[in-house]
Amino acid sequence: MDTTIIHTPFGKVIGRKEKGVRIFRGLVYARYGRFAPPQAADTPCPEREISALDYGTLCPQVSSRLDALIGKVPGLRMAEGELCLSIYTPADESTAHPVMVWIHGGSYLSGGSEDPRYGAERLVRTGAVTVVKVSYRLGAEGWLHWPEAASVNLGLKDLHCALGWVSRNIRHFGGDPANVTLFAQSAGAHAVASLIATSGAEEEYAACSLPSAGAHADAPLFRRAILQSAPLGISITPREADKVLDAFLKALGKNAGQVSMEDILAAQSKIAGMRKSLTFMPVLADNMLCPESCRGLRIFATCGAQDASPYALGVFDKLFSRWPSVERALSAPVVKRLTHKIFLDGMNEYVSRLGALGVQARSHIIRWHPAGSVMGACHCIELPFLLGDYEDWKDARMLRGMHREEYERISSEMLSAWTAFARDGSWPQLSI
């Protein structure tokens, strides 16, 4: 392993260089107190030495319900109180590379930037881009609507803090802070739409405004966004969120300031099914808004033709595991209805609304899936082609029946399309 060093105002950062890519893992971009806003962690200290050789921590969470679909990664570390990001950038040490910021999904309950399956080496090599992967608070800690405790949409404030860090610091890692594209999946994509919707809207969302502070105050925090399987058909009202808060505090049974993280996760799990849709999520008047300050954005949205199949099949698998043909026949109409309700109709409405406002926006439905797959073009189907590599994803249930050559072809197409969009806004033209 070759090490690489970058000198920044907040310290000397030590990373690694692998096959033409410099990698800096587990950088802490902010710290936070429980149910409190994030505090940026890049205070000036040039003499500080920061090791970025190993994966950082994930925000506290329970196991994902999609583990059976995409596989589970052992050995991930969790920690409360710190928010991490990782950076992948070309090894040539030139500057002004387009920047792509990855925001993970996980139903606002799981996931993180430090999941090794989310490696961005191939994106960097394909498009000479700088990739930043960010984590944000999950579950009750990030999304409990608790105005009396000044805890409202803290996960959005985390993401805004991360984007501010990128704006201030990414030039030291070869990235262009004036050319940033967000790409995000599922809850992460929903969060991007929520960031846009709350830009400068109300005082309580002031920390989510898009104009950046510091050296690049005249530039937006990002110019473009790719929304992958954003569940824009799902929302929660303040009244519904109040019920979630009451149920959470009752399940907790103690003062929230006197409990362990395990207590919080246990209480969170007890009420996770109290709503048919997501229990913890941003509480907004309308998550499809696009304020005047954001009208210059360019947005590309995708979803799978059977995006909701993992959720429907989770039930049907238990009932008809011995009769796959029966399972397929009975689940098909349910998958279609849920896909439209949660993903497809919301995506179409969002793009239509943006277009009416003069915002440049397009969409694409992914229809590819392995031959004979019960899952179809399901939730997460595009992730293996963009992040990580074939070995990271080959055992995922949603890809069973796929050949290596097919993987390489689709991945090459998507990597080229995503990085071209990040470079100059060229619309992805996909055959899948």
Side-chain angles (χ1 to χ4, degrees):
M1 177 192 71
D2 294 330
T3 58
T4 181
I5 296 175
I6 288 182
H7 295 273
T8 76
F10 61 86
K12 181 174 71 172
V13 184
I14 304 169
R16 64 180 68 208
K17 187 183 295 186
E18 298 178 358
K19 298 179 180 178
V21 180
R22 291 177 292 158
I23 304 171
F24 304 87
R25 293 188 173 120
L27 292 170
V28 177
Y29 72 83
R31 293 185 172 85
Y32 63 91
R34 186 172 292 174
F35 298 112
Q39 302 297 318
D42 57 332
T43 52
C45 186
E47 66 274 13
R48 181 190 294 134
E49 187 171 290
I50 302 169
S51 175
L53 298 172
D54 299 318
Y55 289 106
T57 57
L58 275 64
C59 292
Q61 59 191 269
V62 295
S63 297
S64 170
R65 57 183 173 178
L66 291 178
D67 281 349
L69 177 70
I70 63 176
K72 187 174 182 178
V73 177
L76 299 176
R77 298 181 298 118
M78 294 185 290
E80 186 181 17
E82 62 183 33
L83 298 165
C84 292
L85 59 79
S86 288
I87 301 170
Y88 297 68
T89 195
D92 59 17
E93 300 190 22
S94 58
T95 59
H97 297 293
V99 178
M100 299 181 70
V101 177
W102 166 248
I103 302 175
H104 68 85
S107 300
Y108 290 114
L109 289 172
S110 63
S113 62
E114 305 307 296
D115 186 325
R117 289 172 301 190
Y118 294 157
E121 292 93 336
R122 292 187 305 127
L123 275 166
V124 174
R125 295 189 194 107
T126 297
V129 295
T130 295
V131 180
V132 185
K133 308 183 306 175
V134 303
S135 291
Y136 53 93
R137 273 174 284 182
L138 304 166
E141 277 220 290
W143 306 101
L144 197 66
H145 185 68
W146 197 356
E148 294 80 5
S151 177
V152 176
N153 292 337
L154 290 179
L156 287 185
K157 292 181 172 67
D158 294 346
L159 290 172
H160 181 271
C161 190
L163 295 176
W165 191 101
V166 171
S167 180
R168 293 188 299 272
N169 298 302
I170 201 60
R171 62 185 177 85
H172 302 297
F173 297 85
D176 180 359
N179 187 13
V180 176
T181 296
L182 307 188
F183 69 122
Q185 190 260 351
S186 193
H190 187 278
V192 171
S194 299
L195 276 173
I196 294 170
T198 56
S199 176
E202 302 175 42
E203 192 171 319
E204 72 177 286
Y205 299 129
C208 295
S209 60
L210 292 182
S212 59
H216 301 279
D218 294 333
L221 289 181
F222 58 96
R223 292 176 176 269
R224 292 174 284 274
I226 302 174
L227 308 186
Q228 302 165 205
S229 297
L232 291 171
I234 295 176
S235 61
I236 186 172
T237 66
R239 185 173 181 180
E240 291 171 324
D242 288 342
K243 293 180 180 179
V244 172
L245 172 63
D246 291 342
F248 173 77
L249 294 177
K250 183 178 180 180
L252 197 61
K254 304 174 185 178
N255 185 301
Q258 300 174 344
V259 301
S260 67
M261 193 63 236
E262 288 73 20
D263 293 329
I264 290 177
L265 291 176
Q268 175 182 302
S269 296
K270 286 181 182 178
I271 67 168
M274 68 177 288
R275 299 182 73 232
K276 291 182 179 179
S277 57
L278 300 177
T279 301
F280 298 100
M281 62 186 305
V283 181
L284 306 177
D286 186 344
N287 65 350
M288 291 193 180
L289 294 175
C290 187
E292 187 70 35
S293 61
C294 300
R295 301 286 169 85
L297 296 175
R298 178 171 283 211
I299 296 173
F300 181 66
T302 72
C303 76
Q306 292 81 34
D307 215 299
S309 69
Y311 307 101
L313 293 178
V315 175
F316 284 96
D317 277 353
K318 298 176 182 178
L319 296 176
F320 303 110
S321 58
R322 295 185 180 180
W323 301 286
S325 61
V326 176
E327 174 186 10
R328 200 175 295 119
L330 292 178
S331 65
V334 176
V335 169
K336 182 178 181 180
R337 184 171 73 250
L338 287 178
T339 295
H340 274 268
K341 181 177 180 180
I342 299 172
F343 301 104
L344 185 55
D345 291 349
M347 180 181 76
N348 289 337
E349 182 184 352
Y350 190 54
V351 170
S352 178
R353 278 205 202 185
L354 294 176
L357 293 170
V359 179
Q360 298 184 70
R362 294 185 184 180
S363 63
H364 175 79
I365 300 174
I366 295 174
R367 303 186 184 279
W368 176 89
H369 58 79
S373 171
V374 174
M375 311 300 300
C378 65
H379 203 60
C380 302
I381 194 72
E382 81 286 1
L383 290 184
F385 303 110
L386 295 168
L387 298 164
D389 56 32
Y390 179 79
E391 295 300 324
D392 293 320
W393 298 96
K394 66 179 182 179
D395 295 327
R397 182 187 177 194
M398 62 183 177
L399 297 182
R400 287 177 188 169
M402 178 187 67
H403 299 293
R404 179 80 182 241
E405 295 77 12
E406 192 172 24
Y407 171 85
E408 297 294 349
R409 175 184 61 80
I410 296 172
S411 182
S412 177
E413 178 181 339
M414 294 192 73
L415 291 169
S416 296
W418 262 233
T419 55
F421 184 74
R423 184 170 53 253
D424 58 21
S426 299
W427 292 111
Q429 302 294 325
L430 302 175
S431 64
I432 60 172

